[in-house]
Amino acid sequence: MTLKEVRRCARNSLALSDRLPIARHCRFAVCLYRVLAEGRMKALLLLLLVGVLGCWAVEVKRPRGVSLSNRAFYDDSKPFTCLDGSRTIPFDRVNDDYCDCADGTDEPGTSACSNGRFHCTNAGYKPQYIPSSRINDGICDCCDTTDEYNSGALCENTCREMGKKEREELQMAAEIAREGFRVKQLLIEDARKGREEKQTKLQDMVQRRQALQSQVDALRLQKEEAEKPEQEAKDAHQKAWEEHKEAEKAEEDKQRSLEVFTELDQDSDGMLAASELRSHMELDVDGDGAMSDEEAQSLLGDTSVDVGIFQESVWPQIREKFKSETDAQAVPPIEEPTESHPEVPEDEDEEDGDEGEDDEEDEPEEDIRVPPSKAQEAEPEMPPYDEVTQALIDAAQTARSTYEEAEKSLRDMEDTIKGLEKEISLDFGPTGEFSYLYGECYELSTSEYVYRLCPFNRVTQKPKHGGSETNLGSWGSWAGPEDNKFSFMKFEHGTSCWQGPNRSTLVKLSCGKDSILTSTSEPSRCEYLMEFFTPAACHPPPEVLPDDHDEL
Ligand code: MAN
């Protein structure tokens, strides 16, 4: 075996292998074996045979950049057929840095094909495909460093570390899933019991509603029965009161007309003559400001009238206009305070020392000078109801209260029935695990808003620094993909967005030990996304965690 032959083996092993250093050694060893077999160096041959067999136990031979699952397509003993079947080429044109296949599959380990894909095995972590343009570009893409085999980039193999971190995270997630799933079983059991209780309560209430409805109907009749005599008695009382007031008014009017007759009958001869009306300008008939004999005569209708005729035909004509002279004397015109008669300040009054006069001046003069107008006269109060009427009112009131109480109970019952029917009709997940969220609300505070998620009800957004709450959507439906419908909740038809859609919210449900709203965002204007953790979204964790991936 010559040095040249050893070098060729080394070169080939580098070109073909995409494996760990040990794999390259194996490739190298196979090559040497072939050379030695040709050169009949039997002793060394035996040693190498043992080594090669050891290598084959861990490495599966394939060109650089090919995944384990695709290795069957890269058999170096046969020509290579592009994976899209478009062309077959000699095997030595695989990874020769020249793109022969339209699908780029002849150059998995070089960047010759723009659409090529390089497979990193990433032993200890996750295998990965990268675009072949990233091969030897000086940037470490694969954690096992295999994409930078000829760029001089100093890549460090971080796969084991990353795998460890990933396993720790998976372990933690599994622990959460285990605990969450345990809680979920309790939630399911509670939901089952709760649902049964609610159904029983609903049935019971529906039955009792009928009885209560009949009771309310009967009480309404009783109330109406009691209200009829009550109304009649009240009306009679009111009518009697009105009649009484009318009679009193008529009597007062009669008295007044007598007084006026007496006042007008200046010569007290029991007869009122036209001349006795002349001084009463306010009775002027034609509005010329004077009271002629003819006008006075026209009011009386005769030369003179006695008190009876006066009351009957004259008084009704002058009742509103007549001004008594005695009234006029009793009520002198009110003097407006003028500049020349300034009000005397209190302290100056005191200085006068005339306490008697002062006391009189302090009296409010308006009370003496201005008679109360008709409108100002207090309307006399209706006297209290008589005993019989009051008893009827009390009886009707009792009937009203009893009816209203029963009616309220019926309304409350109907509300409860509606609430129960609504709750029972909701879809709380395959085993009712989400039912515990009904009636609950969860908040999340951001720098600008407080978001509130009330599952199966609505989502709101309240500005922190003033302003009213905005509805981000009312409960719509479960909105996860077909195979995981209960992983998303959709809330719709919220407050409309200016020049946009009505606000809506999508809530992503993830497995958590506790129920907690962890994030909100607005990926597109007025379309919100929230993340909510709940044990109800937990599934049993896989028994065996993915192990250290060591594919070679
Ligand atoms: C308010 C909030 C925002 C929303 C805008 C749209 O400010 O509801 O979330 O983007 O209105 O105008």
Side-chain angles (χ1 to χ4, degrees), residues 449 461 470 497-498 503 522 525-526 528:
Y449 302 104
Q461 176 198 54
T470 305
C497 193
W498 189 70
R503 286 174 173 78
E522 197 176 341
R525 197 164 144 262
C526 294
Y528 303 82

Side-chain angles (χ1 to χ4, degrees), residues 60-74:
V60 182
K61 176 184 145 191
R62 60 192 193 269
R64 186 190 301 281
V66 172
S67 71
L68 191 59
S69 47
N70 276 355
R71 77 173 195 282
F73 304 114
Y74 295 84

Side-chain angles (χ1 to χ4, degrees), residues 451 459 461 470-473 489-508 519-531:
Y451 288 88
V459 180
Q461 176 198 54
T470 305
N471 182 354
L472 302 188
M489 283 178 160
K490 175 103 181 143
F491 294 79
E492 359 176 61
H493 312 304
T495 310
S496 67
C497 193
W498 189 70
Q499 287 190 336
N502 277 41
R503 286 174 173 78
S504 64
T505 305
L506 201 57
V507 182
K508 180 176 186 287
S519 77
T520 71
S521 57
E522 197 176 341
S524 132
R525 197 164 144 262
C526 294
E527 290 180 3
Y528 303 82
L529 179 66
M530 292 183 161
E531 192 162 16

